Amino acid sequence: MKLSFKQKILAKITPTEKEALAQKTLARQLAEKILKHVHAKAMLVGSAARDTGLRGDNDIDLFLLFPRKLSEKQIVSRTIKAVNTAIPVKWVMHYAEHPYLKATIEGFEVEVIPCFESKPHQGIKSAVDRSPLHMTYLQDRLTQNQREDVRLLKQLLKTNELYGAELATQGFSGLVCEYLILNYRSLEELIEAAAKWNPPVYINFTNEKINQFKDSFVLIDAIDESRNAGAVVSETQLYRFISLCQKLVEKPAESFFEKKTIKKTTKKRKTIPLTISFAAPDLVEDILIPQLRKTERGLRKHLEHDYKIIGTESVLNGKTAEIFLELENEFPPVVKKIIGPPANNSKAVKEFLKGKKPFRGPFIEGSRVIIEENTKQESIVSFLKKTLSKPSSFGCASHYEKTIRKARITKNNKSNSAVKFYNKRDYWL
Amino acid sequence: MKLSFKQKILAKITPTEKEALAQKTLARQLAEKILKHVHAKAMLVGSAARDTGLRGDNDIDLFLLFPRKLSEKQIVSRTIKAVNTAIPVKWVMHYAEHPYLKATIEGFEVEVIPCFESKPHQGIKSAVDRSPLHMTYLQDRLTQNQREDVRLLKQLLKTNELYGAELATQGFSGLVCEYLILNYRSLEELIEAAAKWNPPVYINFTNEKINQFKDSFVLIDAIDESRNAGAVVSETQLYRFISLCQKLVEKPAESFFEKKTIKKTTKKRKTIPLTISFAAPDLVEDILIPQLRKTERGLRKHLEHDYKIIGTESVLNGKTAEIFLELENEFPPVVKKIIGPPANNSKAVKEFLKGKKPFRGPFIEGSRVIIEENTKQESIVSFLKKTLSKPSSFGCASHYEKTIRKARITKNNKSNSAVKFYNKRDYWL
């Protein structure tokens, strides 16, 4: 297989020379200033530093490496002091596994992250300690052609909603992309191999070893063999990638690297479509989107106790968040079968039946006591209104708790979320 | 625990002296006549012979035991010849594992069954060879009190729809009842033990052995240790028996031995109730009822492809058979999710999607390709009419194939089958 159009796509996705130079220059200047005020090593880490980032990726990740004998508290306080003294801008404290600093400088998103200096397979003190090791490992090994292939792979994945390790995507992280290209040597070879994957997939390019992981996608981290760098890739995303690669092998087309636009058709399914719209607070999408997905999941699970949900979808549409629900019926099923405890556990059976006035039963089926109850026939809209007024009851994410109380519920199958729902389709199939 | 009312119930269920004497006298006379015409041993087998039958049980089971060196063909032909010569009535040939003869004589159902003479654990030539061994084993061991307890146990089980090994009941056979009383020594001790059963139950009263059976109820046959005499007992029936015994221990009441009549109330559940009525051919209930259950199961399975069935019930009501169905809705769910092959099996995926025009999808979920289709919105009554006109399509039992074509379908929740359905309840819970 040959992807003859690689250069054409690279021309669109590679950062401009000006952009790359400005990014590296700024990073170096910042590092020099900070090191005057703290005794540590500095390292520029991440895709920009390795020349594997996409155009418009304006992250500068600066790591400060401290000796392992120090405490976390010490390295954090030394970093804060040095950074604020050296670069007097508005730094914001963020918390991942431990605190780090963030600021926007000359249009770039700058992060300064303290960590402990480690050697490969030595064992880490903090999760972030791996990043400098990854940097060194990959910087030493990736060829110029492979760096281009990493960019192309990222573009392919991004286009097909496979890129990113966050919960909303559960796809392939930037690091996984680099490891995959390194392991299979080129994008073409990776695609050909992946087209033949039959999960569970096991990749270990450092040394052979028995697979101790139960994930469907295992990629042993080259700098920490006790870690599966691909753990976050979900089964769905793994199969979507395999299936996509099969089509690419069959017909290597440029279009796989280009973002698809959803056809704006709305389908009539004789179901109950509901769109819930509410205001999104003034925060970045990186926070708003995962929180919206979490809210969608929580709401779905809560409603499924009573109603028959066919599916859900959510979109962030500028200042408006939307959750779409498709239901089988406006009302819950009239009869609910409740499965009780094993019939020979007389104490549990007594407890289960206490106060219950079953509509049919109790009777024994298999090992269990069963009763059937008639459900309260409340319309989904009425039930939803009550539910949304108590956001904590269904696990609404914190940033939406306030606005979802004032959500607008419409029987709408033309909203953005509805269109996305009805058009859900892996186009290559 | 003491069942003080045992004598009172025994007075109702023990065959009258006249009945028992007539039965045994007839059996002996028949045996003597037959043996004049064939070289074999004769044995009266079954509950009547062992004094463990219930009043009104008018079966005479006469076994002819032949040497093992003969063939099945030989023993069957010799039996037929001798029986027809000795007792010139209208004998009907029946087939179980091999042929046997049946006739009604002086109000008794007489069966003459040829078999091979065997010793315990010797290995049998035909399934029926076990019956004489069971007869000898149990006749030698059951005390007079235990025979009474077997009758009481049978009555208890019959009353609570737990008696009988046929597919419609999947309960405890007469043989299992005798084994249970023998093993636990008395009805009271059996009930106390069963109240504490925690399945899988394993009973082996001949010698200790590792359980090679996977059934939830294992009762090693005393005359053939490679056989689970309780294999037919379903999980549901086992748990119903345990639960019933617990209540008997708690409150030993006569009422558990008396047939319950169903309250004739009909419940409004806002569901779709349908009664299908059709003529029952002129055959005994032993044939009609299992065939009706088979038809009920086949129909339910067939309809469940499209419609949401809450439950079904069937009754034989004199000359009329009824199947009752309760449905969630008159129409099938509007959207049907179809789960296709693993997404990395491109050949199977292509085959699956060929000619399909999914309403939503295809998309990948987990390892599978999924499509959603809109179902044909045909009412259950219209669909049922078409279905019943082709009885072979849903596995209708042979004897109903003719009459079910002319079945009457009514939206009826007051039919006998509907009343039975709505009143399904293990009353002791």
Side-chain angles (χ1 to χ4, degrees), chain B residues 256-273:
Chain B
F256 288 104
F257 292 79
E258 288 159 354
K259 189 73 192 160
K260 306 297 164 293
T261 48
I262 291 175
K263 296 174 296 172
K264 283 254 175 188
T265 59
T266 309
K267 309 214 172 184
K268 280 181 206 147
R269 307 223 289 180
K270 293 185 183 167
T271 51
I272 310 297

Side-chain angles (χ1 to χ4, degrees), chain B residues 105-150:
Chain B
I105 301 172
E106 296 174 20
F108 291 96
E109 294 260 325
V110 180
E111 289 181 11
V112 183
I113 302 148
C115 74
F116 298 101
E117 197 173 2
S118 309
K119 293 196 187 78
H121 309 296
Q122 186 187 25
I124 50 164
K125 277 190 80 175
S126 169
V128 294
D129 299 351
R130 283 195 203 95
S131 298
L133 297 175
H134 286 144
M135 182 65 201
T136 311
Y137 186 90
L138 291 160
Q139 185 68 313
D140 286 354
R141 285 164 178 81
L142 285 168
T143 67
Q144 195 47 42
N145 281 341
Q146 286 178 328
R147 285 168 216 247
E148 289 182 349
D149 279 2
V150 169

Side-chain angles (χ1 to χ4, degrees), chain A residues 197-198 236 239 246 267-269 271 328 333-334 344 350 359-362 364 366-367 372 421 424 426, chain B residues 197-198 236 239 246 250 267-269 271 328 333-334 344 359-362 364 366-367 372 421 424 426:
Chain A
W197 280 350
N198 192 15
T236 296
Y239 276 90
Q246 289 177 343
K267 309 215 171 183
K268 280 179 203 150
R269 309 225 287 180
T271 52
E328 192 69 53
V334 285
N344 62 333
K350 223 168 260 171
F359 209 89
R360 184 164 167 256
I364 295 166
S367 62
E372 283 180 11
F421 176 84
K424 176 168 179 168
D426 287 333
Chain B
W197 281 349
N198 193 14
T236 297
Y239 275 90
Q246 290 177 343
E250 213 173 273
K267 309 214 172 184
K268 280 181 206 147
R269 307 223 289 180
T271 51
E328 193 68 54
V334 284
N344 63 333
F359 209 89
R360 183 162 169 257
I364 294 167
S367 62
E372 283 180 12
F421 176 84
K424 177 169 180 170
D426 288 334

Side-chain angles (χ1 to χ4, degrees), chain B residues 159-174:
Chain B
T159 300
N160 294 293
E161 285 167 26
L162 282 159
Y163 183 57
E166 65 282 0
L167 191 60
T169 310
Q170 294 182 57
F172 300 81
S173 68

